[in-house]
Amino acid sequence: SAVISQKPSRDICQRGTSLTIQCQVDSQVTMMFWYRQQPGQSLTLIATANQGSEATYESGFVIDKFPISRPNLTFSTLTVSNMSPEDSSIYLCSVANNEQFFGPGTRLTVL
Amino acid sequence: RKEVEQDPGPFNVPEGATVAFNCTYSNSASQSFFWYRQDCRKEPKLLMSVYSSGNEDGRFTAQLNRASQYISLLIRDSKLSDSATYLCVVNRAAFQKLVFGTGTRLLVSP
């Protein structure tokens, strides 16, 4: 399986600010995704990060709030914009060629 | 109704016990199925894919019943290290969009 890293691993942020999370893979992958796992809940897909084009967002998630970049086949960023306490969550990137694997996650707390 | 439903548990079993988890999914167009394991404060890790013919990996056996839209995971000879949350996961379409159940928590005690 691919080795996936995320930065930062955790952060505490003030409401109204934005945080950009980076996801790096050690090999080229076809698909990259961003998920959110809110406290005590399971994972919810935010969007598919498309290389060289705009991300594809799931229902309930919009580009203005969660802009995503994917400049190449090994790297993607997710920005959580204009944060509120409700954005406190773990954000995970995942990669897939055939099976899907997850990065270690970024634990975000918004005060 | 949630797209993937699991009993949240917890299932408390002694070491050496056999335990089974069930999962149902609502979208009949779902194409592939998985069990992931998630330890506390860690990312989910793929445990096994689930095939229509059923598949086994050591102490773990997964079954799929497409007609009933039902997936199961059987763990034999439970170990303390099996304590985790087991996530039933369905691939909604051809684009690898995974839908996660809320997970079943397993606690194996000495």
Side-chain angles (χ1 to χ4, degrees), chain A residues 37-43 88-90 107, chain B residues 2 8 38 85 102-103:
Chain A
Q37 186 171 27
Q38 294 183 300
Q41 298 188 30
S42 195
L43 282 78
S88 298
S89 188
I90 300 171
R107 185 176 295 272
Chain B
K2 291 180 182 172
Q38 187 171 28
T85 296
T102 51

Side-chain angles (χ1 to χ4, degrees), chain A residues 25-103:
Chain A
V25 194
D26 68 341
S27 58
Q28 292 186 344
V29 291
T30 308
M31 311 288 286
M32 291 182 81
F33 304 90
W34 287 97
Y35 288 81
R36 179 172 75 182
Q37 186 171 27
Q38 294 183 300
Q41 298 188 30
S42 195
L43 282 78
T44 301
L45 179 63
I46 297 172
T48 304
N50 300 309
Q51 193 258 330
S53 65
E54 193 171 287
T56 307
Y57 290 84
E58 297 300 304
S59 175
F61 298 97
V62 295
I63 188 171
D64 290 346
K65 177 66 177 177
F66 297 103
I68 288 170
S69 79
R70 188 174 174 197
N72 56 52
L73 293 175
T74 63
F75 184 78
S76 178
T77 67
L78 168 75
T79 299
V80 187
S81 303
N82 187 25
M83 288 183 284
S84 66
E86 292 71 36
D87 295 320
S88 298
S89 188
I90 300 171
Y91 293 86
L92 300 110
C93 72
S94 75
V95 304
N97 283 326
N98 292 312
E99 291 168 337
Q100 198 164 136
F101 300 95
F102 287 82

Side-chain angles (χ1 to χ4, degrees), chain B:
Chain B
R1 185 189 170 190
K2 291 180 182 172
E3 193 166 342
V4 180
E5 298 218 51
Q6 294 181 251
D7 181 344
F11 285 55
N12 290 285
V13 303
E15 268 187 295
T18 295
V19 61
F21 306 137
N22 302 319
C23 166
T24 58
Y25 61 95
S26 61
N27 188 341
S28 59
S30 300
Q31 299 198 351
S32 46
F33 310 88
F34 309 91
W35 284 99
Y36 277 73
R37 169 194 170 130
Q38 187 171 28
D39 292 283
C40 189
R41 302 176 84 83
K42 298 283 189 180
E43 73 275 19
K45 292 197 159 113
L46 179 64
L47 180 65
M48 57 198 304
S49 302
V50 187
Y51 304 118
S52 297
S53 54
N55 48 302
E56 187 173 308
D57 182 1
R59 297 181 293 109
F60 299 84
T61 301
Q63 297 276 355
L64 167 65
N65 184 322
R66 283 189 185 269
S68 302
Q69 296 182 198
Y70 169 95
I71 305 159
S72 66
L73 177 68
L74 182 77
I75 305 175
R76 289 181 298 277
D77 189 23
S78 299
K79 311 289 184 194
L80 296 176
S81 57
D82 293 333
S83 297
T85 296
Y86 290 83
L87 301 166
C88 176
V89 184
V90 171
N91 185 355
R92 187 187 290 155
F95 302 104
Q96 297 261 15
K97 292 188 178 183
L98 300 184
V99 180
F100 283 77
T102 51
T104 298
R105 193 163 172 225
L106 172 65
L107 300 171
V108 182
S109 53

